[in-house]
Amino acid sequence: MKGDTILREILPDVLVDNFDIVRHEKTAERFDIWLDEKKVQLREDKYNNKIISHGFGEYHAIQDFPIRGRATYLHVRKRKWLDQTTGEIFSYDWDLSEHDRTRLNAEFVAFLKEGD
């Protein structure tokens, strides 16, 4: 069984598709998962060599549904991009229309839609 198959059962597809799990911790009370946005540019920026990765924003902790009786927290951070032509630093906001019927909570949706 592929690893992302089981992840799709636990996490929303938008996370599995666009973020990498970089760390996790499990205690008796809680389960914490840290995710970083993948280094993938959107189609309109993909072939523009003046737009480069520029680090990450801060982690945002979002409480998700419990896993195996433990409170679950997703620590998610979005990648920053630098447009070398204009000097603008930005983050992508995600089109979540395809995920309307998923278990994404309002706090998580707001985070994915916000630009830095």
Side-chain angles (χ1 to χ4, degrees):
M1 177 182 279
K2 292 174 81 177
D4 70 332
T5 303
I6 191 73
L7 283 177
R8 289 183 190 283
E9 297 299 321
I10 298 169
L11 299 173
D13 287 345
V14 68
L15 279 182
V16 176
D17 293 339
N18 299 296
F19 292 80
D20 290 319
I21 295 175
V22 294
R23 187 171 133 210
H24 69 280
E25 289 180 9
K26 181 176 87 170
T27 66
E29 299 83 31
R30 61 188 280 163
F31 192 57
D32 292 272
I33 304 170
W34 282 264
L35 301 114
D36 287 349
E37 185 176 3
K38 292 180 180 180
K39 190 176 178 180
V40 177
Q41 292 174 306
L42 294 183
R43 182 177 307 145
E44 60 269 17
D45 296 332
K46 191 169 191 143
Y47 299 105
N48 183 345
N49 62 358
K50 295 293 184 184
I51 296 179
I52 60 171
S53 178
H54 193 67
F56 290 94
E58 297 294 319
Y59 277 109
H60 292 266
I62 300 164
Q63 187 168 8
D64 199 14
F65 294 96
I67 296 177
R68 302 198 50 88
R70 292 175 175 85
T72 301
Y73 293 89
L74 305 176
H75 305 272
V76 186
R77 66 180 179 172
K78 292 169 65 176
R79 186 173 292 280
K80 291 183 178 185
W81 298 93
L82 170 64
D83 184 336
Q84 294 178 313
T85 305
T86 64
E88 177 189 9
I89 297 173
F90 64 95
S91 293
Y92 294 126
D93 54 342
W94 296 95
D95 176 14
L96 298 172
S97 57
E98 67 187 76
H99 303 283
D100 282 344
R101 291 181 294 278
T102 67
R103 57 186 180 229
L104 298 177
N105 65 35
E107 180 184 9
F108 186 57
V109 169
F111 167 73
L112 289 177
K113 285 186 175 183
E114 83 182 18
D116 285 338

